[in-house]
Amino acid sequence: MPFPSGCSARVRRYGFHGLSYEYIANRLVEVAPEIASGRVVVAHLGSGASMCAMIAGKSVESTMGFTALDGLPMGTRPGQMDPGIVLYLMTKKRMSARSIEELLYNDCGLKGLSGISNDVRELLASTSSRARFALEYFVHRICSSAGMLAAAMGGIDGIVFTAGIGENAPSLREEVLRRLSWLGLEVDPAANTRGGPRISTERSRITCYVIPTDEELMIARHTLRLLREWASAQLEERSA
C-alpha cells in the first residue's frame, strides 16, 4: 500500500494460527490421505478463529491479516470490518486509539453480538435471541469465508474442523456443512455427533473431517530443531 512521502513504514499481511495449520497439514497425510495432496479448507475455530486454504499442505490464503482482528468474528474480536468504523469512532464518538483498541480486542465478536458471553457453550445453551443471532452470524461468516477460500484455490476437495469450537460443537459444524451443501457436501449426523474423524457421508463430493490440533507439540518440535541447529553450529565452531 502507498505511504506518505518520506514514510518508511511497511505493513505486511501476516496471518495467524500457523502452528495449528502446520500440525493439521502433517496429520492429513495419516488421517485423510485422499485429500492431503488436494485443496483443503481448514477451519481453526476457537476463542480466536481463522480459516486457511491449503493446496498439498501449503497455505495459499488465510482469513487473518496484519493483526488478529481480521477475518472471522471471534470470542471478543470483531473479525473483518470496514476500516471506516475506526475513523467514525474517533471523529464522531471521540474515542481514543487506546479505547478503540480495548473495544476491538475485548468487547466485540461473539461477546459483543450476544451481550452474554464469548463462550460458544453458553451461547448454544442460551434461549436468548441475541445469542442465536451471534451464532448465526458466526456460521454465516464461516460459510462465506469457505466460499472465498475455495475460489482462491480454484476448487475444494475437503474441509477440516479443528480447535476448541471446531472439535467440540457438533451442532455448529452441522449447520456450517448444511449451508455448504451446494458444494456437494453431505454430513453424516451420527459421525458428526461422535466427533469423526470423518463426518461426511460416502456419497459426499467433498470429504469433511474433525482433527484435533496440537500447537504445543509444534512449538516443542520447532524448539528442538532450533536447539539441534544451535548445538551443531557450536560443535562446528569448536572444531574449526
Side-chain angles (χ1 to χ4, degrees):
M1 62 180 67
F3 286 88
S5 177
C7 179
S8 61
R10 292 294 183 267
V11 174
R12 179 180 179 181
R13 184 171 182 266
Y14 183 71
F16 292 81
H17 296 130
L19 292 170
S20 177
Y21 295 130
E22 182 182 10
Y23 178 84
I24 296 299
N26 292 335
R27 285 289 289 151
L28 277 175
V29 178
E30 303 170 4
V31 179
E34 75 277 10
I35 60 173
S37 61
R39 301 162 298 184
V40 179
V41 168
V42 183
H44 178 107
L45 307 178
S47 181
S50 70
M51 295 170 70
C52 178
M54 299 192 306
I55 299 178
K58 301 296 183 181
S59 171
V60 298
E61 183 60 276
S62 170
T63 58
M64 274 197 180
F66 171 63
T67 72
L69 290 175
D70 200 8
L72 300 177
M74 301 167 229
T76 61
R77 291 171 287 195
Q80 183 181 14
M81 67 178 191
D82 182 347
I85 293 173
V86 175
L87 300 178
Y88 170 79
L89 293 175
M90 295 179 71
T91 60
K92 301 298 183 181
K93 297 300 182 180
R94 303 299 181 185
M95 291 179 67
S96 67
R98 180 58 62 87
S99 61
I100 293 174
E101 180 181 29
E102 178 71 18
L103 170 68
L104 296 181
Y105 276 97
N106 299 304
D107 293 310
C108 290
L110 297 177
K111 177 183 177 182
L113 289 169
S114 70
I116 297 172
S117 174
N118 65 326
D119 192 322
V120 166
R121 292 169 296 186
E122 292 185 33
L123 299 182
L124 287 170
S126 174
T127 59
S128 164
S129 60
R130 286 188 63 182
R132 289 195 300 274
F133 170 72
L135 292 172
E136 287 172 1
Y137 181 70
F138 187 47
V139 169
H140 170 75
R141 291 298 303 278
I142 293 168
C143 295
S144 298
S145 295
M148 178 270 288
L149 295 173
M153 296 187 293
I156 182 171
D157 302 305
I159 296 176
V160 174
F161 289 95
T162 194
I165 300 170
E167 296 168 24
N168 299 297
S171 61
L172 190 143
R173 288 195 305 261
E174 185 167 4
E175 181 61 20
V176 169
L177 298 180
R178 185 187 65 79
R179 297 193 190 191
L180 293 177
S181 61
W182 60 274
L183 288 169
L185 206 158
E186 184 177 315
V187 65
D188 180 333
N192 181 50
T193 300
R194 291 195 304 269
R198 176 168 174 157
I199 61 173
S200 54
T201 67
E202 293 296 328
R203 296 187 302 273
S204 182
R205 190 179 69 79
I206 297 171
T207 51
C208 184
Y209 287 85
V210 177
I211 302 178
T213 191
D214 195 337
E215 294 170 284
E216 290 81 4
L217 177 60
M218 298 312 302
I219 292 172
R221 285 177 176 173
H222 284 296
T223 301
L224 180 59
R225 176 180 58 80
L226 289 172
L227 288 173
R228 284 173 173 168
E229 290 176 356
W230 177 83
S232 177
Q234 290 294 102
L235 182 60
E236 290 180 7
E237 184 177 327
R238 287 198 295 268
S239 300

